[in-house]
Amino acid sequence: MEKVYATIITIGDELLIGQVVDTNSAWIAQQLNAIGILVKQRISVGDDAREIMDALDKAAAISQAVLITGGLGPTADDITKPTLCAYFGGNLKVDEEALQNVKIIFQKLQRPLIERNLKQAEVPDNCTVIQNARGTAPGMWFEKMGVYFVSMPGVPFEMQGMMTDFVLPALKRSLTLPAVVHRTLLTAGIGESFLAELIQDWEKALPSFIKLAYLPNYGMVRLRLTATGYDKIKIEEATDKAFADLQGLVQDYLVSNVDETIEKKVASLLLRTGKTMSTAESCTGGYMAHLLTRHPGSSAYYLGSVISYDNSVKHDVLQVPEDLLKRGAVSEPVVVQMVRGVLEATGSDYAVAVSGIMGPDGGTGEKPVGTVWMAAGSREDIVTQQMHFRFDRMRNIELTSAHAFNLLRKFLLQENQA
Amino acid sequence: MEKVYATIITIGDELLIGQVVDTNSAWIAQQLNAIGILVKQRISVGDDAREIMDALDKAAAISQAVLITGGLGPTADDITKPTLCAYFGGNLKVDEEALQNVKIIFQKLQRPLIERNLKQAEVPDNCTVIQNARGTAPGMWFEKMGVYFVSMPGVPFEMQGMMTDFVLPALKRSLTLPAVVHRTLLTAGIGESFLAELIQDWEKALPSFIKLAYLPNYGMVRLRLTATGYDKIKIEEATDKAFADLQGLVQDYLVSNVDETIEKKVASLLLRTGKTMSTAESCTGGYMAHLLTRHPGSSAYYLGSVISYDNSVKHDVLQVPEDLLKRGAVSEPVVVQMVRGVLEATGSDYAVAVSGIMGPDGGTGEKPVGTVWMAAGSREDIVTQQMHFRFDRMRNIELTSAHAFNLLRKFLLQENQA
């Protein structure tokens, strides 16, 4: 089977000084994988013509498609466009459609157009112009010696629009691509090594066209099967069989047999019964609420939260008695009362509450940094759990959130069975 | 002046399928820049021995230091260690200190040790072992033909510990590094192109050892000066002079003259006066609370929040009158009452509130997706602002948060002047 490879080149000094985290590469890689294009390499270079050309040469030598982002802005350090123009031997000329687009955007923003912005409508005369429905800089599609080169803006929202509307369909038309099948499950409560032991015989027996990936994240491990081949029905059947066997092996730890986050799993359990939830957060400081509300449609099951960062808010808004707080806000009775208090305040059916010490300061001998109490439940019943994390502040916040959602998930499952 | 270059190689199939966003490269690049090492290129390759070796060859040809992360885990797909061992011509042997470390970690976790984990203590006999204070996999430091190679785990927290404790000091000792001076300021209310127009004469007159970078983020633009040279006093003086001139040119848009986020700027204004704040969030769903609480020490000025995602919570907890909500929750009177309500609920001195439509659904002809009302103020005075964003859900949430913090910042400045 002939594999089709791509290389992703991200351009910009900001990537080399570390000012910006490159989220584009991961997003592009996911989209390419989904249509059967494997990513061979990802390269980031600065705003330097020679570096860019070297990267293009290398990429063309190992791949059939080269996806480039960045360096198309209006300022002097953005040199991707003239560099590509020189590399492919073209001349810059104004593209009328791109010019209209720039004019319309500035009209909408009620900003005056300056020379610098008009220049954004210039493109090499030997490329196919990719119009930008979400911004001013047009994209470019070149072909050279059987390799396709695509240049897109570095703004994720603009790049994603171009990929979806133009680039992915064009790549599908231009290349002969295999079928790709993904199956993913999420486990909790078992480490990567132990999981590997548990499934090692199954893993060894996998056919060669099915690959397994371990993807540990926030104390949970995601297992992903990827099968590639030209006989779609055959690989789908084989992957489904392998996936069913895998689910049997890990059933004690299985959170979900689709590729979703733990909060989405909680959401789907709530949607099934038409119930609602809220959160009462001390140490996670709104992060759990954010994880729920970043998903469209969350208003169907999520009512709101009380972020009781200060003890006064735990007392005044969540009705946690003062004497409990005096004995220690990171404690089982406090999180139980936080659940009760937020159920009362928001009127939700279920709630989850956390209180802990995320660090780097605030730890004591008895309660070191990483100590967390969490509670989840309803007006009738509440379950609790204590945990100890040993990471930095942000990771402790992420881990606390994931485990608190898992506690609520288990509670909801029990409820649904009862 | 002899420049010192590094290449960052990140290893792992998960990077090429896009399952994981590479945050390590940006962090490492920042740390290297701060000690005067320029990053020439970033390369990501899969768990494939030939790909890894090719990347090592390329990196060694263009840099004096090669920093590698990933592929050191206990599972079969992690092949970085044997590959490096072969590349540098060594043999794997158990490192006693690393072995003790693995044993102690498993004892603490109360998990049984299996063969797979013990193997993590094996290292090539021709490297300097970098002990891992935060995990089981040791790091490795090699030297070949005057190039330093460092291999670290892909877990950010573990990699960061090794960098800080061992790698950065060792690179400083081993290489002759120039002084590097950074000066950064944050602007709001002016686009990148207009900023470029405003400062173009100043930019043209910059000495060649000072570089300017435009870093647009969430509707604000950060400007960063980076000066490099061996005469630290001279470059510092020149950079401070250029930075002072720049601040004068952009003074109408200046948010901060240090490299900080908008919420940190709000925090520093509050800390100066010993006052406190809270947030009342509808459409941002806890993201503003999270931005505040991800920073250590936020309890000094932040009391808590009410996330009133559902109108019932706006009414019951924030006392927004029902008739106002009926006329439309995304409105000026509603956000004003949300500020009043959360001031009352939390007892904070200041508060900021937002209500809007983040998309993709929920927009109407009158109030399209991206419409946001925000309010900030105290018990005495409240200011409001309406905004329109045109991006995807997550970016609209980020932009709303940044602009709402900016509204509060301007309010606090006015208060402090009064």
Side-chain angles (χ1 to χ4, degrees), chain B residues 42-280:
Chain B
R42 292 163 38 174
I43 309 174
S44 298
V45 295
D47 296 303
D48 178 295
R50 214 180 55 193
E51 294 285 326
I52 294 172
M53 290 195 185
D54 278 356
L56 291 169
D57 282 344
K58 280 180 202 160
I62 56 171
S63 38
Q64 290 100 296
V66 181
L67 288 95
I68 307 155
T69 66
L72 299 182
T75 53
D77 54 350
D78 293 307
I79 59 154
T80 299
K81 193 160 58 183
T83 304
L84 290 175
C85 194
Y87 186 81
F88 294 105
N91 293 296
L92 286 178
K93 67 156 209 268
V94 170
D95 179 80
E96 276 309 318
E97 201 179 334
L99 183 64
Q100 279 309 313
N101 184 44
V102 172
K103 284 182 178 169
I104 288 166
I105 287 179
F106 274 76
Q107 215 165 6
K108 270 195 198 160
L109 292 173
Q110 298 178 314
R111 283 190 187 169
L113 253 175
I114 52 182
E115 180 62 23
R116 217 181 262 277
N117 302 114
L118 289 172
K119 271 199 167 302
Q120 296 215 272
E122 289 183 358
V123 288
D125 54 8
N126 56 345
C127 78
T128 302
V129 181
I130 309 173
Q131 298 300 333
N132 186 345
R134 301 175 172 186
T136 51
M140 293 161 271
W141 169 282
F142 299 90
E143 201 184 324
K144 189 180 177 180
M145 316 263 283
V147 179
Y148 301 100
F149 298 79
V150 186
S151 164
M152 296 172 287
V155 179
F157 181 62
E158 298 180 18
M159 176 278 291
Q160 290 171 14
M162 283 189 191
M163 282 288 288
T164 308
D165 296 343
F166 183 95
V167 179
L168 292 168
L171 289 172
K172 278 197 228 177
R173 277 195 310 272
S174 312
L175 296 160
T176 308
L177 300 174
V180 180
V181 176
H182 289 297
R183 296 287 182 271
T184 304
L185 60 77
L186 179 64
T187 67
I190 180 168
E192 195 179 347
S193 312
F194 294 90
L195 207 45
E197 289 291 308
L198 186 64
I199 64 175
Q200 64 181 350
D201 293 338
W202 167 89
E203 189 176 353
K204 275 182 197 142
L206 276 180
S208 66
F209 58 89
I210 302 181
K211 302 281 176 218
L212 170 72
Y214 290 81
L215 306 159
N217 208 14
Y218 307 140
M220 300 178 188
V221 180
R222 209 169 240 106
L223 294 176
R224 171 149 125 159
L225 296 181
T226 304
T228 316
Y230 282 93
D231 186 343
K232 185 163 187 185
I233 292 169
K234 183 191 141 201
I235 65 163
E236 233 167 19
E237 277 175 5
T239 313
D240 282 334
K241 160 109 189 35
F243 193 60
D245 293 344
L246 177 62
Q247 288 182 65
L249 289 171
V250 303
Q251 59 183 335
D252 292 348
Y253 311 99
L254 189 66
V255 172
S256 177
N257 62 0
V258 294
D259 191 6
E260 62 185 351
T261 57
I262 182 84
E263 75 270 12
K264 284 291 276 184
K265 183 69 196 178
V266 168
S268 65
L269 289 172
L270 291 169
L271 282 170
R272 200 181 298 164
T273 52
K275 302 282 188 180
T276 59
M277 71 166 288
S278 58
T279 74

Side-chain angles (χ1 to χ4, degrees), chain A residues 14-23 26 29-30 33 39-46 51 58 74-78 105-106 109 111-112 114 116-117 134-135 155 157 160 190-194 196-197 200 203 212-215 222 224 259 284-287 289-290 293-299 302-310 312-313 316-317 345-346 359-361 390-395 397, chain B residues 14-23 26 29-30 33 39-46 51 58 74-78 105-106 109 111-112 114 116-117 134-135 155 157 160 190-194 196-197 200 203 212-215 222 224 259 284-287 289-290 293-299 302-310 312-313 316-317 345-346 359-361 390-395 397:
Chain A
E14 69 276 18
L15 295 165
L16 300 187
I17 61 175
Q19 191 83 26
V20 170
V21 169
D22 170 24
T23 56
Q30 279 179 19
N33 268 270
V39 177
K40 189 80 172 178
Q41 209 169 90
R42 291 164 39 174
I43 308 174
S44 299
V45 295
E51 295 284 324
K58 280 180 202 161
T75 53
D77 55 349
D78 293 307
I105 287 179
F106 274 76
L109 292 173
R111 285 191 187 167
I114 51 183
R116 220 180 258 278
N117 302 114
R134 301 175 173 186
V155 180
F157 180 64
Q160 290 172 14
I190 180 169
E192 195 180 348
S193 313
F194 294 90
E197 290 291 308
Q200 64 181 350
E203 187 174 354
L212 171 71
Y214 289 81
L215 305 160
R222 207 168 241 106
R224 171 149 124 159
D259 191 5
T284 48
Y287 192 65
H290 165 60
T293 57
R294 67 178 172 169
H295 301 291
S298 42
S299 58
Y302 172 69
L303 295 189
S305 292
V306 174
I307 315 303
S308 56
Y309 212 59
D310 197 83
S312 68
V313 179
D316 297 346
V317 188
T346 65
D361 310 312
R390 59 190 181 89
F391 300 100
D392 61 348
R393 184 179 181 84
M394 193 55 222
R395 203 161 146 78
I397 291 173
Chain B
E14 68 276 17
L15 295 165
L16 300 187
I17 61 175
Q19 192 82 27
V20 171
V21 170
D22 170 22
T23 56
Q30 279 179 19
N33 268 270
V39 177
K40 191 80 175 176
Q41 210 169 89
R42 292 163 38 174
I43 309 174
S44 298
V45 295
E51 294 285 326
K58 280 180 202 160
T75 53
D77 54 350
D78 293 307
I105 287 179
F106 274 76
L109 292 173
R111 283 190 187 169
I114 52 182
R116 217 181 262 277
N117 302 114
R134 301 175 172 186
V155 179
F157 181 62
Q160 290 171 14
I190 180 168
E192 195 179 347
S193 312
F194 294 90
E197 289 291 308
Q200 64 181 350
E203 189 176 353
L212 170 72
Y214 290 81
L215 306 159
R222 209 169 240 106
R224 171 149 125 159
D259 191 6
T284 49
Y287 191 65
H290 165 60
T293 58
R294 68 179 172 168
H295 301 290
S298 42
S299 58
Y302 172 68
L303 296 189
S305 292
V306 174
I307 316 304
S308 56
Y309 212 60
D310 197 83
S312 69
V313 180
D316 297 346
V317 187
T346 66
D361 310 312
R390 58 189 181 89
F391 301 100
D392 61 348
R393 183 179 181 84
M394 192 56 222
R395 203 162 146 77
I397 291 173

